[in-house]
Amino acid sequence: MPYTQEHEEFRRLVRSFVHNEVNPHVESWEQAGTMPLHSIFSAMAGLGLLGLEYDPAYGGQGADHLFTLILAEELGRAHHGSLPMAVGVQVDMATPSLHEFGSPELKERYLRPALSGDMVAAIAVTEPDAGSDVAGISTKATRDGDEWVISGSKMYITNGMQADWLCLLARTSEGGGYGGMSQIVFPTDTAGFSAAKLDKLGMRASDTGLLTFDECRVPVANTIGEIGRGFQQQMKQFVIERMWAAYSTVGSCLEAIDRTKKYITQREAFGSELAANQFIQYTLVDLVAEIDMLRVYNEAIAEAYQRGEDPTRRATIAKMKSGRLVRQVGEWALQFHGGLGYMEETWTARFYRDNVLTGIGGGATEVMQRVLAMAEFGSE
């Protein structure tokens, strides 16, 4: 992988940020059930960590994609999954369509403050009755002159309680299926909008919302790209999201392995360190091999993406494999900590809870299988 000295310096910067500015606050954020995203994102922007690949004209860094890979991987080393997910939403899930397809006015008003940390963004696609099946969304935006009148609801929205604006996918014409959807920048101070916080198994410091739209009016000029092209734009945005998930999984797994190795070298059982047990050694070696293979595969995705190749197939594979791998790592880390690992005060419990989501969010593992099966066999 052609990492330069600048890439390696950037890796050290992000790792230092996680170690010094994130991990010391994880416990308090978890107890509070939220994180101060505006101040966190502002601090990250000050270090040049937001909008890495975006146009400098709107506050981006104009960097190559390898910097995004490094950012996701190193944020994955945080001692909870909430912040890596929140940052991923900000930089790789809610803003890519706006950066690529948005008007200059929309970029100036919403993208620039998102990249400076002054605004928090969220992606609003999932609904109570439509998750991975995006074609099933029913939230409607009906045109009334120069305004959209929006009614409906969105579910499981990360950053939903703190977001200043949403990248909202809504149905803008009659008929079901994939046609007639549009992406709309939706300011959350719009009349008729409300958000309720959801209680989750894991990712407890991440504020996840149930959003309700009751005849909310926003300008038609807030449409991202072409009216009626929202589904296609969102599918492209989903691919980037899946790449982020796979990238950050590597960092999460490596951190979990390092912490587990530290514990088993200190814990004695049956007259010797747990680390001397060959079953434990072989199990961890197998996991490290899988992590290394995912890491190399991620780098291949990143290189292909930089060359302008379509990353959809590989991103789908990486997302499928990462969801399974991180669950395995979490299960074995907890197992090797024994009864202690089952306690809430031990990091293994949170790691297990948080990372179960990897195989669910951003397209469930079964959806990734479906996508690959359709590509390979031409049917489901």
Side-chain angles (χ1 to χ4, degrees):
M1 194 68 184
Y3 290 121
T4 65
Q5 182 177 346
E6 188 177 5
H7 289 126
E8 297 303 338
E9 290 174 353
F10 181 74
R11 184 182 296 278
R12 288 190 289 271
L13 172 66
V14 180
R15 188 170 297 189
S16 175
F17 175 78
V18 169
H19 180 74
N20 296 316
E21 305 299 331
V22 176
N23 288 341
H25 302 288
V26 165
E27 293 299 333
S28 62
W29 292 342
E30 289 282 315
Q31 292 175 14
T34 188
M35 300 172 288
L37 292 182
H38 287 87
S39 62
I40 295 170
F41 290 170
S42 179
M44 293 184 69
L47 296 173
L49 304 184
L50 302 184
L52 292 172
E53 300 175 64
Y54 290 170
D55 189 343
Y58 298 101
Q61 306 299 318
D64 64 56
H65 185 66
L66 296 185
F67 285 93
T68 296
L69 183 153
I70 293 168
L71 176 66
E73 191 174 290
E74 292 302 321
L75 285 177
R77 290 181 174 272
H79 289 175
H80 69 168
S82 295
L83 185 65
M85 183 169 65
V87 175
V89 168
Q90 184 83 355
V91 302
D92 254 13
M93 301 176 201
T95 52
S97 286
L98 178 57
H99 179 258
E100 182 171 359
F101 302 108
S103 67
E105 293 77 17
L106 280 181
K107 292 180 186 179
E108 189 64 38
R109 187 170 181 181
Y110 296 104
L111 181 62
R112 180 183 293 280
L115 302 187
S116 66
D118 294 321
M119 281 188 171
V120 173
I123 177 75
V125 175
T126 301
E127 298 182 1
D129 296 318
S132 296
D133 181 15
V134 178
I137 70 166
S138 59
T139 295
K140 291 184 179 180
T142 303
R143 187 161 186 169
D144 181 15
D146 293 331
E147 292 182 319
W148 292 119
V149 182
I150 301 171
S151 294
S153 61
K154 297 292 181 178
M155 191 82 158
Y156 312 131
I157 307 305
T158 301
N159 299 353
M161 303 304 295
Q162 297 185 64
D164 297 290
W165 61 269
L166 312 171
C167 178
L168 171 70
L169 186 66
R171 197 167 290 284
T172 50
S173 65
E174 295 299 325
Y178 303 113
M181 302 182 199
S182 301
Q183 288 182 312
I184 301 166
V185 173
F186 182 93
T188 57
D189 60 358
T190 301
F193 172 79
S194 62
K197 187 176 180 180
L198 300 173
D199 191 17
K200 308 184 300 298
L201 171 68
M203 300 289 189
R204 294 178 179 174
S206 169
D207 58 296
T208 305
L210 168 62
L211 313 183
T212 302
F213 308 84
D214 184 8
E215 297 190 346
C216 301
R217 290 179 173 269
V218 300
V220 172
N222 278 24
T223 306
I224 300 171
E226 295 180 37
I227 296 174
R229 292 288 297 174
F231 178 83
Q232 292 80 1
Q233 292 171 190
Q234 183 56 54
M235 289 302 102
K236 190 172 184 179
Q237 196 163 245
F238 273 154
V239 172
I240 299 172
E241 175 180 352
R242 290 163 188 168
M243 289 159 62
W244 177 277
Y247 296 166
S248 61
T249 292
V250 167
S252 299
C253 289
L254 288 173
E255 184 71 10
I257 294 294
D258 288 345
R259 298 178 85 179
T260 301
K261 287 167 61 179
K262 181 179 179 180
Y263 174 76
I264 63 175
T265 58
Q266 296 172 345
R267 170 69 168 160
E268 289 194 3
F270 303 104
S272 63
E273 295 177 352
L274 284 179
N277 184 294
Q278 283 191 326
F279 176 80
I280 294 177
Q281 292 177 1
Y282 294 170
T283 301
L284 291 180
V285 165
D286 280 345
L287 291 174
V288 168
E290 292 292 329
I291 297 166
D292 195 56
M293 290 178 71
L294 177 60
R295 189 177 202 174
V296 172
Y297 196 73
N298 285 345
E299 291 173 345
I301 295 172
E303 284 191 293
Y305 183 72
Q306 286 199 154
R307 291 194 298 267
E309 298 175 16
D310 182 0
T312 300
R313 182 176 183 277
R314 286 181 172 178
T316 303
I317 292 171
K319 175 63 166 59
M320 179 181 70
K321 298 294 287 184
S322 61
R324 292 171 173 170
L325 177 58
V326 75
R327 286 194 186 193
Q328 290 180 307
V329 170
E331 288 172 359
W332 283 117
L334 193 154
Q335 182 72 21
F336 292 153
H337 278 73
L340 183 65
Y342 196 65
M343 299 296 104
E344 272 297 319
E345 63 265 24
T346 306
W347 67 270
T348 50
R350 180 187 302 142
F351 185 91
Y352 185 85
R353 285 188 284 99
D354 283 0
N355 289 290
V356 166
L357 184 61
T358 306
I360 300 173
T365 298
E366 296 77 17
V367 174
M368 300 300 98
Q369 291 175 303
R370 181 187 182 203
V371 170
L372 292 169
M374 292 177 69
E376 291 292 330
F377 302 105
S379 68
E380 299 180 26

